[in-house]
Amino acid sequence: MANELALKYGCNPNQKPSRIFMKDGAELPVTVLNGKPGYINFLDALNSWQLVKELKEATGLPAAASFKHVSPAGAAVYVPLSDTLKRIYFVDDLELSPLASAYAAARGADRMSSYGDWAALSDVCDKETALLLKREVSDGVIAPGYTDEALAILKEKRKGGYNVVQIDPEYKPAPIEHKDVFGVTFEQGRNELKIDESLLQNLPTQNKTLTPEAKRDLIVSLITLKYTQSNSVCYVKNGQAIGVGAGQQSRVHCTRLAGNKADNWYLRQCPKVLNLPFKPGIRRADRDNTIDVYIGDECMDVLRDGAWQQFFTQKPEEFTREERREWLSGMTGVALGSDAFFPFGDNIERAHKSGVEFIAQPGGSIRDDNVIETCDKYGIAMAFTGIRLFHH
């Protein structure tokens, strides 16, 4: 390991010089095993590593994340994937280890956003995870180690240029962190808040039942939010984020954005979507884009004459708004976390439409009573964590 690493440029090509280095003269906690990661790559790598490390510590399960532009497009802990999920994640032809399953879930929930991602793995990258990474469009990966076989597989990706970074899992950063903005240095204590079930004790709603799975999913949500550009909310089901609404100025916009992503995740599991007659050999990215349009209000963009022939062997029937609404009515058991309090009950109304039954949020709004009342209307169990998770 070295004390510093020169980079090609910063966030943009005109931002030179660029490097990462340790102010205290210590060695960098990361080693580049392959490729030439850039400035944004390392921002994604270091943030995503913290997320998966905390997920593993909190749940004891292998964890993975898919990052784009310093926010998670997806994150997950290992939960065995159903045959349906394997199909919509396009991994039903692969042998999956627990770590590979976690990454398939992290990347698969929002494949549009995960295109060209940075991957993070909580455990040593194995052959199965490397084979999955190799065939997806991805910029790089960070992990505490790689088996010889996995590293050899990854070194073949992108004509030998795939970014592979190893991090020292024992590295602990200084308790005070700094950031320069417009020539002014900001200083603050690191956010070392430990997220676990102790934050889920205060339930002001009539429903005070959190299943073990709900507690796991709320923890996944809160840890994901800790490393998501605020404002944000995160929908989670079966140990994986299914909708992240990052960086919105309005909380209800976060809830809508993430809820729409969660809805799309569930709509993709509908038999009508699963059985779309795609042409053989169509690229996964083109299939993802086509499905995304097909399940939305602009479905005719891929169903009109002259368009459907590019993707399908025969013209599919329209997926009507009524059919979509009926399918979404079967979506249940979803957990939702928020990085700050919900100021109005409209957030709960929107969350309920996406099957949310469990919520964790800081509480402390002058309208908490309205938010609690809205939860009670739908039988939602809500925990007040008392902690805020803004991240910038």
Side-chain angles (χ1 to χ4, degrees), residues 26-40:
E27 290 188 335
L28 285 166
V30 291
T31 304
V32 178
L33 302 181
N34 198 65
K36 295 182 179 179
Y39 191 96
I40 294 176

Side-chain angles (χ1 to χ4, degrees), residues 273-321:
V273 181
L274 281 172
N275 297 320
L276 284 170
F278 280 106
K279 283 184 171 181
I282 189 170
R283 296 189 316 151
R284 281 188 299 276
D286 291 331
R287 190 163 41 179
D288 289 334
N289 294 344
T290 304
I291 290 172
D292 192 69
V293 176
Y294 176 75
I295 61 179
D297 289 333
E298 298 177 346
C299 62
M300 294 311 298
D301 286 355
V302 295
L303 295 182
R304 68 174 185 270
D305 287 342
W308 70 261
Q309 292 92 339
Q310 301 175 47
F311 312 108
F312 305 111
T313 56
Q314 61 187 66
K315 184 177 180 179
E317 293 182 1
E318 181 182 349
F319 196 11
T320 67
R321 185 172 296 183

Side-chain angles (χ1 to χ4, degrees), residues 86 182 280 293 334 368:
K86 287 178 182 178
F182 198 51
V293 176
V334 178
D368 276 348

Side-chain angles (χ1 to χ4, degrees), residues 52-113:
V52 298
K53 183 173 186 287
E54 290 190 31
L55 283 178
K56 176 69 180 289
E57 290 172 349
T59 66
L61 299 168
S66 173
F67 257 60
K68 284 285 291 292
H69 296 287
V70 206
S71 277
V77 295
Y78 169 62
V79 173
L81 296 176
S82 67
D83 290 342
T84 296
L85 289 180
K86 287 178 182 178
R87 282 186 66 186
I88 70 169
Y89 299 160
F90 306 132
V91 295
D92 49 336
D93 61 330
L94 293 177
E95 181 180 339
L96 297 175
S97 64
L99 187 63
S101 292
Y103 178 63
R107 183 186 176 94
D110 184 3
R111 287 183 58 85
M112 294 281 287
S113 296

Side-chain angles (χ1 to χ4, degrees), residues 10-50:
C11 280
N12 300 291
N14 63 295
Q15 292 178 268
K16 301 177 182 179
S18 175
R19 63 174 175 153
I20 59 171
F21 66 101
M22 303 296 285
K23 284 184 176 181
D24 62 2
E27 290 188 335
L28 285 166
V30 291
T31 304
V32 178
L33 302 181
N34 198 65
K36 295 182 179 179
Y39 191 96
I40 294 176
N41 290 151
F42 273 114
L43 287 175
D44 281 341
L46 295 175
N47 280 287
S48 61
W49 163 249
Q50 293 176 80

Side-chain angles (χ1 to χ4, degrees), residues 363-390:
S365 166
I366 60 172
R367 294 179 180 267
D368 276 348
D369 288 349
N370 173 244
V371 174
I372 294 168
E373 180 183 351
T374 311
C375 285
D376 288 341
K377 181 168 72 170
Y378 297 115
I380 295 171
M382 179 173 64
F384 278 175
T385 64
I387 54 100
R388 196 177 75 179
L389 294 168
F390 280 174

Side-chain angles (χ1 to χ4, degrees), residues 332-378:
T332 59
V334 178
L336 173 66
S338 177
D339 63 5
F341 62 67
F342 285 127
F344 304 104
D346 56 355
N347 293 276
I348 311 304
E349 295 281 357
R350 176 60 189 88
H352 168 69
K353 292 179 180 179
S354 294
V356 168
E357 296 182 10
F358 313 100
I359 292 176
Q361 59 125 328
S365 166
I366 60 172
R367 294 179 180 267
D368 276 348
D369 288 349
N370 173 244
V371 174
I372 294 168
E373 180 183 351
T374 311
C375 285
D376 288 341
K377 181 168 72 170
Y378 297 115

